[in-house]
Amino acid sequence: NAGVTQTPKFQVLKTGQSMTLQCAQDMNHEYMSWYRQDPGMGLRLIHYSVGAGITDQGEVPNGYNVSRSTTEDFPLRLLSAAPSQTSVYFCASSLSVSNYGYTFGSGTRLTVV
Amino acid sequence: KQEVTQIPAALSVPEGENLVLNCSFTDSAIYNLQWFRQDPGKGLTSLLLIQSSQREQTSGRLNASLDKSSGRSTLYIAASQPGDSATYLCAVIGDNNDMRFGAGTRLTVKP
């Protein structure tokens, strides 16, 4: 099993550009979520999904969109990149949050200039 | 809103010491608590998961305890090694399945 796969690993964007961060898991996990990690602030939840077709906002959703058309994929879209979105982004998934907790991808380091 | 605090923010110890990392949370209505390890520039590796009905979990030299009523968890590392150097993150999972993280404790174990 590949686990949770994130692409790309690194990305540089210009202010105002849009892009999609990809996240895929091959473990048939229902729960998927996106976090951003900033120095001194820990990880903060952006959006999450409890199953295909269902998404909801986390702590810091502004400037980001998500969709969940399949169980496997949970892409994160930056609509118009801003320097404040420079961060490391992590995708996570879980089969049963109460029993197994979350499995994380290796992250995407995004720089907006 | 759930808030998670980890103390200390950084810790440096000589090899061989036993050490305790602390995590506190404000809302005791949690499903479970998960401890992670993060190496510089890397993703998160799950260390231990404690369900809300459990008091502790053990894996090798690691032992994590949970006291829901007081909103506290500790991660105990026995006989620390330089390879244990990393940032340790505590996260609580609430009843809507969202996970809230502490800012982490950066551990350095000196040879």
Side-chain angles (χ1 to χ4, degrees), chain A residues 38-52:
Chain A
D38 302 294
M41 301 190 71
L43 281 83
R44 292 179 292 169
L45 181 65
I46 304 171
H47 285 285
Y48 65 100
S49 169
V50 298

Side-chain angles (χ1 to χ4, degrees), chain B residues 55-104:
Chain B
R55 299 281 295 182
E56 65 178 328
Q57 281 285 343
T58 298
S59 176
R61 294 182 293 108
L62 305 180
N63 176 275
S65 67
L66 174 63
D67 184 343
K68 271 186 58 178
S69 60
S70 66
R72 294 177 186 273
S73 177
T74 61
L75 179 66
Y76 175 82
I77 303 177
S80 58
Q81 303 171 357
D84 294 330
S85 297
T87 295
Y88 290 81
L89 296 165
C90 162
V92 298
I93 300 173
D95 57 6
N96 59 350
N97 296 315
D98 68 326
M99 177 178 274
R100 302 289 171 132
F101 282 84

Side-chain angles (χ1 to χ4, degrees), chain A residues 31 94-102, chain B residues 30-33 49-54 93-94 97:
Chain A
Y31 301 98
S94 179
L95 176 63
S96 167
V97 175
S98 61
N99 292 326
Y100 301 107
Y102 276 98
Chain B
I30 63 171
Y31 263 162
N32 56 36
L33 184 145
L49 172 72
I50 309 177
Q51 296 179 1
S52 60
S53 60
Q54 297 174 324
I93 300 173
N97 296 315

